[in-house]
Amino acid sequence: MGVIHACLPLVVLNGPTASGKSSLAIEVALELSRQGLRAEIVNCDSMLVYRGMDIGTAKPTRAELALVPHHLVDVCDVRQAATVADFQTDARRVIAELRSRGVVPVMVGGSALYVHAILDDFSFPATDPEVRARYEARLDEIGPEALHAELAALAPDVAAGMQAGNGRRTVRALEVLEIEGGFTPQLPEWTYAVDDVLQYGLELDRAVMDERINSRVDQMWADGLVAEVTALAEDGLREGFTASRALGYRQVLMFLDGELTEEEARQRTASGTRRFARKQLSWFRRDPRIVWLEAGAPDNVGHIVADVLAAVRAG
């Protein structure tokens, strides 16, 4: 894929759950506007694309969305599978369109794989809906660990490179093996396919991060997450292979189905989110191009805006 050329920088804000990425993105966009540069936000969280999944994804409020235009938010039905390949295409299209209008794109990324796919030289193996549907049905029938064992029997090297509990990735590996006869679990190197990228990461103490996550999950329950999931289940949430497995949503569905108590669902959501946040931070730490900032530091907005203005003047 060719490089996407531009004269305006693409600002990318990375970081784990509860690090304050969304709020910082809005503050940066507003300050850039005050400095005479229009800016709009491009979502890079795999779950914010779903309409109705608001509380459990900590989606920006209507008031926040009204402050700055947001893209790739509320664009999918919960029954749809939002693939990385589709997200790559859509996000790159939005970034190019914003730059063509003289707008600075501010991409907010909690989904590390999606950020990597959008920014870097990243291609995807072939896919076949019928083959995938067959393996998804098999996953539902026997569970992720048993399906992983079947993958291990076919391709032990491939299976060794992924977690047994990651059913979605196991399905994808089996699909690619059947279609192409091979599967490479390693991800591409850090090679930008987008020009003029300014990447920042938000870091915070693990104990603080855990406390924020626990408080966030408690607040989600107080705000009505169970009611939200109940309504979405009536709209087909269980049919959505991606949406139904989102943290919080999967656990509440298990509660509604009698597999967990409500308190167990809440605790599993919190513990799962804490583990996920650690994985996010570990993933982003691998990228040497990211400039790390202390989450919540008062000079973060000024630092980022100064870099953008310098890049614009240099370009």
Side-chain angles (χ1 to χ4, degrees):
M1 179 174 293
V3 170
I4 301 172
H5 296 284
C7 59
L8 291 172
L10 165 63
V11 179
V12 182
L13 301 181
N14 304 300
T17 297
S19 58
K21 298 183 300 294
S22 298
S23 298
L24 179 60
I26 291 172
E27 292 175 15
V28 167
L30 291 174
E31 181 59 27
L32 284 171
S33 295
R34 285 190 283 269
Q35 297 292 331
L37 276 177
R38 288 185 298 156
E40 298 182 11
I41 294 172
V42 182
N43 164 54
C44 192
D45 184 295
S46 61
M47 295 302 160
L48 292 189
V49 300
Y50 289 108
R51 290 184 291 272
M53 291 177 62
D54 302 333
I55 297 172
T57 62
K59 187 177 293 178
T61 64
R62 289 185 179 180
E64 290 171 327
L65 293 171
L67 286 172
V68 179
H70 284 63
H71 301 268
L72 302 183
V73 175
D74 291 340
V75 294
C76 293
D77 180 89
V78 292
R79 297 181 182 86
Q80 294 176 255
T83 68
V84 183
D86 289 340
F87 215 115
Q88 179 194 67
T89 299
D90 293 340
R92 289 183 176 182
R93 172 184 50 77
V94 170
I95 290 166
E97 189 270 333
L98 291 177
R99 286 171 151 175
S100 73
R101 293 195 283 111
V103 176
V104 176
V106 180
M107 192 170 84
V108 186
S111 302
L113 176 61
Y114 286 63
V115 174
H116 190 20
I118 293 165
L119 296 182
D120 294 312
D121 188 2
F122 196 118
S123 59
F124 298 91
T127 185
D128 185 310
E130 292 185 6
V131 174
R132 177 172 294 190
R134 176 158 31 89
Y135 285 118
E136 288 175 351
R138 184 67 173 157
L139 173 64
D140 290 337
E141 177 186 355
I142 65 175
E145 286 78 13
L147 189 66
H148 185 268
E150 293 186 358
L151 172 63
L154 290 171
D157 291 344
V158 173
M162 58 185 65
Q163 295 181 338
N166 193 333
R168 184 180 180 188
R169 195 163 181 223
T170 301
V171 165
R172 179 59 174 146
L174 286 164
E175 177 192 14
V176 175
L177 278 169
E178 180 168 329
I179 296 170
E180 300 192 350
F183 179 84
T184 303
Q186 289 78 21
L187 294 171
E189 296 297 323
W190 312 108
T191 305
Y192 280 139
V194 181
D195 276 345
D196 303 317
V197 177
L198 297 175
Q199 276 204 85
Y200 304 91
L202 298 181
E203 56 184 350
L204 67 167
D205 179 80
R206 279 193 173 185
V208 174
M209 182 173 69
D210 288 350
E211 184 178 347
R212 287 189 184 183
I213 289 170
N214 292 338
S215 297
R216 174 178 283 189
V217 171
D218 288 343
Q219 190 62 50
M220 287 175 178
W221 247 262
D223 290 343
L225 178 61
V226 173
E228 178 175 278
V229 177
T230 301
L232 289 170
E234 295 175 358
D235 290 336
L237 176 62
R238 289 182 178 84
E239 302 167 25
F241 186 76
T242 305
S244 66
R245 286 162 173 78
L247 277 166
Y249 294 85
R250 180 179 182 181
Q251 288 76 15
V252 173
L253 284 174
M254 293 175 73
F255 160 60
L256 296 176
D257 292 341
E259 299 175 38
L260 299 173
T261 67
E262 184 171 357
E263 182 57 26
E264 287 172 337
R266 187 208 301 249
Q267 292 299 327
R268 288 199 187 185
T269 299
S271 60
T273 304
R274 292 194 300 269
R275 287 194 301 272
F276 178 63
R278 284 174 168 75
K279 290 179 182 177
Q280 287 176 299
L281 194 53
S282 174
W283 177 284
F284 287 126
R285 280 291 188 191
R286 300 175 193 172
D287 190 340
R289 304 164 302 182
I290 293 176
V291 175
W292 288 94
L293 306 172
E294 180 185 351
D299 59 345
N300 284 345
V301 174
H303 180 99
I304 294 169
V305 169
D307 286 350
V308 173
L309 294 175
V312 171
R313 287 192 294 267

